[in-house]
Structures are given as C-alpha cells and as structure tokens.
Amino acid sequence: MDKFRGTGVALVTPFKDDLSVDYDALEQLVNHVSEGGVDYLVVMGTTAESPTLTGKEKLEVLKFVIAKNAKKLPIVYGLGGNDTQALVDKFKKFDIEVDAFLVVCPFYNKPSQRGLQLHYEAIADVAPKPIILYNVPKRTSVNMVTKTVIALSQHPNIIGIKEASGDTVVQAEEIARKMPDDFILTSGDDDLITPFIKCGGIGVISVIANALPGHTSDLVNAALAGDFSKSKVMANDMEEMLRLIFSEGNPTGVKALLQQMGIGNGKLRLPLVEASEALQAQIAEEYKILDTKKGMI
C-alpha cells in the first residue's frame, strides 16, 4: 500500500516534570515531523514507552495525535501483547479511526512458529483495520522466521511487516524474494535503511525521524529512487548520532536530542531513565556539528 511507502516515525511520548503526558510538546513534535516530510505517523510503538502508559493514556494520546494531524498523514497504531485472547478482545472493541495496526510479536512467552502464526491469525480475523507484523527478537526473545511471515502474508488482513531481526538484512532479503507483490516490507532499524531498501524494502519506521525528519525522509527517498550512493552518504552523516541515541537505550537518546532542539524535557518513566550527563554532552556536541556543518537540523 502506497500510504506506507517511505518514512514512518515512531513518535515518542513527551512527559512533564511530574511524568504526566506533555501534550503541548506532543503537538510540537507532530508539527515538527509532519513539516519535516515524514509519510506517516506511528503512535504507541515501543519508542512511545507504551509499556508504561495506561490503556486510557494510550487512547488519549492517539486521539490527540489524530486531532493535531494537520496534514492528514496516515496513522498506524501500535497494539500488541502476549495474551492472544486479551488482544482479540481489545481489537473487537477498538473504534478509533486509524489506517493500520502495528502488532509486535508476543514477548516473554517465547511461542513456537505455529503459536506465532495462530496468534496473528486470531488478531487479523477480528481487527477492524489491516495488520502490520512487527518482528524484533532483540526485545521479544523470539524471531518470526521467513516461512511464518510468508504464511501470514496470505491472510487478507495482514499487509506487511516491520522487520528488525538483526544487524544484517539477510532475513529481509529472504522475505523480499518470497512475499506477495502487494506485501509491505519496511525496516525497523535506522542504521540499515539503504541496504534494506536495496534488497526490496519500501522504507523505515524510524526513531531518529522524531528529531531529523527531513534528513531521514530525504535519505529514504534517495534509496527508493535507486540513488544508493546518495543515500549511503546521508546515512554516514547521521551514523554517529545514531550510535549515540541508542547507546543508553531507546527512547533515552532521542529524547535527549529532542530536548536539545527545544522539544520536551528528556524525561522518561521508570524503569527507563534520562540520558547520563556524559551522553547528553555528547549528543549536544554532535547536534552542533550536524546543525552547523551538515545542515541536517
């Protein structure tokens, strides 16, 4: 589906000093990424600190983003978990208008491939909008293998996958060779955008696009246009910042970067904590370099 081609941004959830949701900063962020050229918004992915938000807060944030989505960008809502029946019940009751759901593999349970397939089929059977699978074994402890992905791609309500299975694109290449022509293959790793698109992907659901939406979108568009030399150079330009923002976990680093840009205060909810003073200093220095020498900010 063309609406999910290009750059999606996994929005962070800004907090006030008392750790309630900072809706003023969230509106500022939505405007920033929209004006920066991203193609769609992802609400309540892992980057949003969704495990520490209440069910009511998650829906309030979604409704707020929809209300502030001046450019009417497509919206993907993250709704996953490790209790299949509980998720089925949530999907049956879901009545907010979104364009698709991002559904992460069940975590901690470590289901078999058969269990994964049945889990997703049960959800897809009742979901009111299409499902995008999310494979991220470094967080879930289970890798959804290519055979399972291809089997699920046959379901009419499963339209694609956000693939983040490792440090290479080997599995993405396997999926690209075997998937249906209308199946969406998008990267879940900011540092693999160029090779991912080169092997058959159509974009990225990005963390760094919260702060650098223009540069990330230009990089993705260059790769989609087949200009891999340009996209590689652009990827190299943000390589150090990517290393920094993920060095103490996500979204710790990107929130520190956004704070440098005047968006939010860098606060997170436990068990996540703010960036160390050393990391904040490094991010601030790299931010100056990008802003003054490379014009990426």
Side-chain angles (χ1 to χ4, degrees):
M1 297 175 67
D2 286 344
K3 67 171 67 176
F4 304 119
R5 179 180 176 85
T7 302
V9 55
L11 294 170
V12 305
T13 305
F15 297 123
K16 298 179 182 178
D17 288 342
D18 65 0
L19 297 185
S20 61
V21 176
D22 186 342
Y23 286 101
D24 289 339
L26 181 57
E27 180 176 5
Q28 189 181 3
L29 177 63
V30 171
N31 291 336
H32 172 66
V33 299
S34 299
E35 293 165 4
V38 303
D39 298 291
Y40 59 99
L41 308 175
V42 180
V43 180
M44 286 301 127
T46 308
T47 302
E49 296 175 70
S50 52
T52 63
L53 272 74
T54 67
K56 181 180 179 181
E57 285 176 323
K58 292 175 185 179
L59 294 179
E60 287 175 345
V61 168
L62 173 60
K63 291 175 183 177
F64 184 85
V65 171
I66 291 171
K68 300 302 178 181
N69 181 20
K71 291 197 172 185
K72 304 301 179 186
L73 298 176
I75 292 180
V76 177
Y77 183 62
L79 183 55
N82 57 356
D83 180 340
T84 306
Q85 188 57 52
L87 270 180
V88 167
D89 293 342
K90 286 181 180 179
F91 275 99
K92 284 181 177 178
K93 297 175 183 177
F94 197 90
D95 60 359
I96 301 173
E97 187 65 24
V98 296
D99 294 274
F101 295 99
L102 181 66
V103 184
V104 70
C105 285
F107 41 84
Y108 193 80
N109 310 53
K110 297 186 73 173
S112 66
Q113 296 300 308
R114 177 65 175 158
L116 285 174
Q117 183 173 340
L118 292 175
H119 172 83
Y120 276 113
E121 288 175 346
I123 292 167
D125 284 345
V126 300
K129 290 291 182 178
I131 296 294
I132 299 173
L133 313 171
Y134 182 17
N135 186 38
V136 56
K138 56 193 171 187
R139 287 189 177 269
T140 64
S141 298
V142 61
N143 178 39
M144 184 161 51
V145 301
T146 300
K147 183 178 180 181
T148 305
V149 175
I150 299 307
L152 287 170
S153 73
Q154 305 306 310
H155 194 290
N157 206 30
I158 297 176
I159 61 171
I161 184 169
K162 176 185 176 183
E163 172 63 24
S165 59
D167 297 328
T168 67
V169 296
V170 173
Q171 187 159 305
E173 290 172 338
E174 293 175 350
I175 295 171
R177 288 197 302 269
K178 299 177 181 180
M179 68 185 186
D181 291 341
D182 59 351
F183 194 68
I184 297 165
L185 175 61
T186 194
S187 176
D189 293 305
D190 280 318
D191 58 344
L192 295 176
I193 294 173
T194 298
F196 201 95
I197 292 176
K198 196 171 185 178
C199 82
I202 63 163
V204 65
I205 293 179
S206 171
V207 172
I208 201 167
N210 279 280
L212 307 179
H215 186 84
T216 308
S217 298
D218 288 348
L219 189 166
V220 170
N221 291 336
L224 289 172
D227 193 344
F228 297 114
S229 296
K230 179 180 179 180
S231 67
K232 186 175 180 180
V233 169
M234 296 183 74
N236 289 342
D237 286 343
M238 68 179 186
E239 182 177 14
E240 177 61 13
M241 184 61 85
L242 280 176
R243 185 190 69 79
L244 290 172
I245 69 167
F246 289 110
S247 64
E248 293 184 2
N250 182 47
T252 297
V254 75
K255 278 196 163 183
L257 175 55
L258 285 167
Q259 184 180 15
Q260 287 290 323
M261 303 172 68
I263 302 175
N265 58 10
K267 299 287 186 182
L268 296 94
R269 287 182 178 176
L270 288 171
L272 298 181
V273 296
E274 293 176 69
S276 65
E277 291 184 6
L279 180 58
Q280 291 183 46
Q282 290 175 298
I283 287 174
E285 185 61 30
E286 182 65 14
Y287 171 78
K288 292 177 183 177
I289 293 172
L290 298 182
D291 190 26
T292 59
K293 292 187 177 180
K294 298 176 180 175
M296 289 167 53
I297 305 299

